[in-house]
Amino acid sequence: MTQFVIQPLPAGEVDAGAPTAVRRTAEGGEPCRRCLRRASAGEPLLLLGYDPFVVRSPYAGSGPVFVHERCGDDGTGVEQVRGSVLSVRAYDQDAMLLDAEVMPGEALSDRAAELLDGSAAFLHVHFAGPGCFAFRVDPV
Ligand SMILES: [Zn+2]
């Protein structure tokens, strides 16, 4: 089974100075895309658009993400996927969509390995409801 690694912010750091970026005070539970931890109530956040593609693709485009204004220690992403419904999109090496599935977060690890064992070059994981980009998954 293919081993994989989770990549937060695969296209590089967010543009905190973007004109559409807004400051928010966390209600608690917002998923930070940089450190992969959930925010605690009261933490300062930025909500802004982010395009996770690193190559040209008709599937590219900016979607909403949260980041802490100042992150602490990095998380693993596990706490963010547990209990979440995810949209997992599998792409080939030219960033063309091969497959898309909605699944519970608990199924991600096994299904990601299966998709990467097949023809997928990488995966993009989104939170299914709001559509926020979560992270990229690459084979090791
Ligand atoms: Zn963070």
Side-chain angles (χ1 to χ4, degrees):
M1 187 176 271
T2 299
Q3 299 293 307
F4 57 85
V5 61
I6 289 175
Q7 290 198 34
L9 300 178
E13 183 55 46
V14 299
D15 179 6
T20 54
V22 294
R23 288 194 150 73
R24 290 282 188 259
T25 299
E27 295 177 11
E30 295 88 341
C32 174
R33 308 287 25 108
R34 187 188 294 121
C35 70
L36 299 179
R37 290 184 302 106
R38 288 201 180 270
S40 300
E43 286 186 299
L45 300 172
L46 293 172
L47 174 62
L48 37 67
Y50 185 75
D51 181 353
F53 281 84
V54 295
V55 295
R56 293 171 55 103
S57 169
Y59 297 97
S62 181
V65 295
F66 284 108
V67 292
H68 288 111
E69 284 199 36
R70 291 172 302 284
C71 288
D73 295 336
D74 286 347
T76 63
V78 171
E79 69 164 312
Q80 292 185 351
V81 302
R82 191 180 304 130
S84 297
V85 177
L86 304 176
S87 172
V88 178
R89 303 166 192 178
Y91 295 93
D92 68 14
Q93 62 207 19
D94 296 321
M96 295 301 290
L97 188 70
L98 297 172
D99 201 356
E101 299 178 18
V102 174
M103 66 185 71
E106 291 74 9
L108 177 64
S109 182
D110 287 345
R111 191 63 186 123
E114 290 170 3
L115 288 164
L116 294 168
D117 278 344
S119 52
F122 66 93
L123 312 176
H124 279 177
V125 178
H126 296 251
F127 294 100
C132 306
F133 175 75
F135 47 77
R136 175 175 159 142
V137 180
D138 283 289
V140 176

